[in-house]
Amino acid sequence: MIPTPAAKLASDSITSPSSPAYRPLDIDTLYYTRSMFTLRWSVDGEHLYFETNITGRYNIWRVPSQGGWPVQLTVSDERNDLADPSPDGHHILYSQDSQGDEKPNLYLLDLTEYTTKNITRTQKIGHRDMKWNPDGRSLYYAAERDIPGTYPIFHHDLATGTVKKIISSDTGDCEALEPSPDGKKLAFSRTRNYQYTGVSVHDMETGGETVLAPIDDRSTSIVGGWTRDNKRVYVTSNANDRGIEAVALLDIKENNEFQWLTLQDWDSSLVDVSPTEDKYAYVVNQAGNLHLYIRDLKGEHEEIPPGHGVIRAAKFSPDGKQLAIIHASGDSPHDIWVYDLKARALKQITYSLVGGLNQDNFIQPHLIVYSAQDQTPISSFLYVPANIKPDRSHPAIVYPHGGPQWQHFNSWYPNIQYLTSHGYLVIAPNYRGSTGFGREYMESLRKDAGRGDLNDLIAAVDYLKTTGYVDPKRIAIMGGSWGGYLTLMALTKTPEIWGAGVSIVPLANWFTAHENEDPVLQKNDEWLMGNPITDRELWRDRSPIFFADQIRAPLLLLAGQHDIRCPVEETQQMAEAARKNGVTVEVKIYENEGHGFVRRENEIDSIKRAAKFLDQHVGQQ
């Protein structure tokens, strides 16, 4: 058994809610509900910038911070990822890749002329963690401009276009860049395998590097900001004996001690630092509900409503008097809210639901805990359709999340809401390997991927049978990315359980995935699975492709042509192998997508295909 804070949870009572307004949802209407990512204030505090897919493409928009009509600022067929406005407020920095290839160029949007300029002009080169120099004349970013898969830090002079490497990646790739308020230092994290990270500070004048926390083989420390006096760095770290993530401070000294600020039973993480006071905002992740707090360095704190669901982003206003957040929950999509710190009042700024839909059309999931085979408590969310009876007649879906180092939150999942409205119970387990339950739990899949996590999904099936709602012969499994991999593992290793499988952007063959994927992912694979030569038998045993002859259930495969994480060849070879077994196999490859689908027509098409496929094989009889 792995100890986790989930042992302290009590399961909700499982009932089907009574709701006269509940009805089967229409996919086209549902997917016109907007989604939102990233949030920034204008320099004068009058507006909020954000990413949204109102038009069916993710572009950058602006809305008055007191509420009002949003205005579209960028117009692109490709996804735009918002970074920051310039210190003088004249430009917005953002990135844009091509057809989901995750190799973006950086752009400046002129807020006077509303013109855009590509300032990097590269091909198939990743740029990330870009930040303005506080003087507003240059940028810092990590980029693989030297060697694919390596990320040193570059200084980009905007007046001359000169790009100069200032920090090497020889001792670890760089990420999470944070310039000090006075512009004299740059804090950042280093990593060798994207599992363990240390913290360093670069002195702009001397060029020297101070290692505040060295990379070790047990902990992750991510830089989040600075104190206003330029003397200490905020981090989110699990470098403590309990392996729990918490907010801490590090003085600018070699191999410094962590000053823990929010260490408790559940993971907590920094989301923003006030620009005007010694305050910071952080979230506590209690089994997939994110509770938002503001705290000062004296320890005084307050919780920000609504106190359930998720916080996708939170940013202090330039004057420090307001906090803007993006919030969602199981029955409500992401929207922007602004909290007034003095008045302690929360105001909704955007409204993402489209006409014909309201909160009564959706359900909140139940939080439940069941025991795995080794008695480890597995926290999960269970979605139960409204107005149904516990007569053991209903279809169900086991829905493993991606990652595996990720988590299913009490958040907005329109595909789950659609399937639930059409009669499916959906269980979304936070199986071992998930984040949010401590370092030991997260690392438990090392050299056990595809077994320990799969066993937790099998235990979820056993739990479903105890609810009284589910027909055991009509249980499907559906997931994307790592969830797509686990779908294939489930169909090949436990074929007798499943009525159907939907595998989205999956991994199927560890050997070919490792060979074809992005170099950054290769480092991660080797941490998780070991060496493809010395650990060959493990790699083979956990590759579904070699056991395709065991599949009995119909299989739907969905993939993106430009996926650098789980290359499209994984889907193609799995489809071919499964067809040789004589089972029903359907495949759709989206030519203009990467690892996941962000164009609205593709989102709609993929869920329509999945819903039709599930209805044919396990749906309502």
Side-chain angles (χ1 to χ4, degrees):
M1 186 179 89
I2 304 171
T4 87
K8 301 179 180 180
L9 295 173
S11 294
D12 294 344
S13 176
I14 304 304
T15 58
S16 170
S18 176
S19 175
Y22 197 68
R23 63 183 187 274
L25 294 168
D26 173 70
I27 291 176
D28 295 277
T29 302
L30 181 62
Y31 273 83
Y32 270 83
T33 295
R34 295 95 176 182
S35 184
M36 294 181 182
F37 289 88
T38 317
L39 185 64
R40 297 290 187 269
W41 287 84
S42 63
V43 172
D44 60 11
E46 295 295 320
H47 293 90
L48 291 161
Y49 304 119
F50 60 103
E51 301 162 26
T52 183
N53 63 344
I54 290 176
T55 64
R57 298 292 185 272
Y58 282 96
N59 279 279
I60 297 170
W61 290 62
R62 179 181 66 198
V63 67
S65 58
Q66 296 302 310
W69 191 262
V71 175
Q72 185 172 354
L73 300 182
T74 62
V75 182
S76 174
D77 193 51
E78 303 290 353
R79 179 165 186 162
N80 292 172
D81 289 306
L82 173 66
D84 288 295
S86 59
D88 63 10
H90 293 163
H91 295 86
I92 288 178
L93 174 65
Y94 70 98
S95 64
Q96 177 181 298
D97 70 359
S98 176
Q99 299 185 336
D101 68 359
E102 299 186 52
K103 302 294 182 181
N105 276 289
L106 305 186
Y107 291 76
L108 287 181
L109 167 66
D110 187 308
L111 290 173
T112 302
E113 302 293 335
Y114 294 97
T115 56
T116 61
K117 179 182 179 181
N118 183 339
I119 60 172
T120 48
R121 296 187 176 277
T122 55
Q123 294 288 331
K124 303 299 181 182
I125 291 176
H127 295 79
R128 69 185 188 202
D129 296 308
M130 47 277 193
K131 290 295 173 65
W132 287 93
N133 187 326
D135 66 13
R137 295 193 293 269
S138 59
L139 306 173
Y140 302 109
Y141 49 73
E144 51 181 356
R145 297 175 73 103
D146 288 350
I147 302 170
T150 63
Y151 280 84
I153 295 176
F154 294 85
H155 175 261
H156 188 131
D157 186 290
L158 292 173
T160 65
T162 303
V163 178
K164 178 183 178 181
K165 182 168 67 175
I166 59 171
I167 301 174
S168 169
S169 59
D170 291 347
T171 59
D173 291 328
C174 305
E175 59 182 359
L177 282 58
E178 289 289 346
S180 59
D182 63 9
K184 294 181 178 180
K185 294 180 174 64
L186 180 68
F188 60 98
S189 297
R190 282 197 185 274
T191 180
R192 297 190 186 96
N193 55 16
Y194 295 87
Q195 296 298 323
Y196 306 119
T197 59
V199 176
S200 291
V201 169
H202 176 83
D203 189 301
M204 296 299 182
E205 295 177 352
T206 68
E209 180 175 336
T210 302
V211 179
L212 311 189
I215 303 173
D216 57 24
D217 62 353
R218 62 186 292 272
S219 62
T220 300
S221 300
I222 301 296
V223 174
W226 288 78
T227 54
R228 291 183 301 140
D229 60 8
N230 304 286
K231 293 181 178 179
R232 291 178 289 178
V233 174
Y234 286 97
V235 298
T236 297
S237 176
N238 59 11
N240 52 70
D241 292 340
R242 298 166 59 186
I244 297 294
E245 283 194 354
V247 182
L249 284 173
L250 286 170
D251 288 331
I252 311 304
K253 299 177 181 179
E254 290 281 351
N255 301 327
N256 197 16
E257 295 293 323
F258 289 84
Q259 178 189 342
W260 297 104
L261 302 177
T262 66
L263 185 59
Q264 53 186 280
D265 290 339
W266 293 97
D267 281 355
S268 53
S269 57
L270 184 74
V271 290
D272 197 31
V273 177
S274 171
T276 59
E277 299 181 77
D278 290 326
K279 290 184 176 181
Y280 56 95
Y282 69 101
V283 293
V284 176
N285 179 1
Q286 188 170 351
N289 280 288
L290 301 183
H291 301 269
L292 178 64
Y293 296 86
I294 294 176
R295 192 181 188 112
D296 64 26
L297 293 183
K298 297 177 181 178
E300 296 182 3
H301 69 280
E302 65 171 304
E303 184 172 4
I304 308 303
H308 71 283
V310 296
I311 304 298
R312 177 168 275 178
K315 294 293 290 184
F316 283 99
S317 59
D319 62 8
K321 295 180 180 179
Q322 299 178 90
L323 187 73
I325 67 174
I326 298 179
H327 173 267
S329 63
D331 59 359
S332 57
H334 294 89
D335 270 308
I336 298 173
W337 300 68
V338 171
Y339 182 77
D340 186 300
L341 274 65
K342 183 178 180 179
R344 295 189 174 182
L346 187 67
K347 180 180 180 180
Q348 186 171 356
I349 303 300
T350 64
Y351 297 84
S352 289
L353 282 177
V354 297
L357 295 175
N358 60 67
Q359 203 165 2
D360 292 340
N361 300 136
F362 313 112
I363 60 163
Q364 273 280 6
H366 298 282
L367 178 65
I368 60 101
V369 181
Y370 62 84
S371 294
Q373 294 177 357
D374 63 355
Q375 300 307 304
T376 295
I378 307 299
S379 174
S380 304
F381 285 104
L382 178 66
Y383 299 76
V384 181
N387 310 320
I388 66 171
K389 297 179 180 180
D391 56 6
R392 303 185 185 278
S393 69
H394 305 282
I397 300 169
V398 176
Y399 188 84
H401 62 74
Q405 292 175 355
W406 191 241
Q407 185 176 355
H408 190 93
F409 295 94
N410 180 15
S411 187
W412 173 249
Y413 301 95
N415 56 344
I416 293 180
Q417 291 291 341
Y418 174 82
L419 292 166
T420 304
S421 79
H422 284 259
Y424 292 88
L425 284 84
V426 179
I427 188 169
N430 281 313
Y431 52 82
R432 68 194 68 207
S434 301
T435 51
F437 299 90
R439 185 174 61 219
E440 183 178 353
Y441 190 79
M442 184 183 70
E443 293 186 352
S444 62
L445 286 188
R446 195 170 187 185
K447 291 199 173 183
D448 194 38
R451 187 183 70 170
D453 41 5
L454 177 58
N455 287 342
D456 294 345
L457 302 185
I458 296 168
V461 173
D462 295 336
Y463 172 82
L464 283 173
K465 295 175 183 178
T466 70
T467 65
Y469 288 97
V470 175
D471 181 346
K473 296 181 180 180
R474 299 165 64 201
I475 299 175
I477 182 167
M478 172 180 173
S481 190
W482 192 266
Y485 165 68
L486 287 178
T487 295
L488 298 179
M489 285 296 293
L491 296 182
T492 54
K493 295 290 188 176
T494 57
E496 69 282 357
I497 293 177
W498 311 102
V502 178
S503 181
I504 306 167
V505 294
L507 155 70
N509 181 334
W510 277 107
F511 299 101
T512 55
H514 181 263
E515 179 181 352
N516 295 326
E517 70 191 0
D518 191 73
V520 169
L521 276 297
Q522 291 176 339
K523 300 173 186 178
N524 188 279
D525 286 356
E526 290 160 14
W527 173 87
L528 181 64
M529 293 292 291
N531 185 280
I533 298 175
T534 58
D535 295 296
R536 181 176 180 82
E537 286 307 310
L538 174 66
W539 284 50
R540 187 182 189 282
D541 182 63
R542 306 303 161 80
S543 295
I545 190 74
F546 298 113
F547 306 94
D549 61 343
Q550 298 299 308
I551 297 177
R552 299 292 178 268
L555 171 61
L556 172 63
L557 290 155
L558 304 172
Q561 182 66 42
H562 302 279
D563 193 337
I564 67 169
R565 297 174 181 267
C566 295
V568 68
E569 291 84 2
E570 296 296 295
T571 290
Q572 292 168 332
Q573 63 178 315
M574 192 68 206
E576 182 180 353
R579 283 175 175 143
K580 290 179 180 178
N581 193 33
V583 298
T584 298
V585 180
E586 297 182 17
V587 182
K588 173 62 178 178
I589 295 171
Y590 296 93
E591 299 296 330
N592 54 1
E593 299 282 11
H595 193 65
F597 316 133
V598 297
R599 288 168 165 79
R600 178 176 290 144
E601 66 272 19
N602 294 337
E603 288 185 297
I604 291 173
D605 183 79
S606 64
I607 188 61
K608 281 184 175 180
R609 288 176 186 271
K612 180 180 178 181
F613 183 84
L614 291 169
D615 284 345
Q616 287 175 340
H617 299 292
V618 296
Q620 299 292 347
Q621 303 291 308

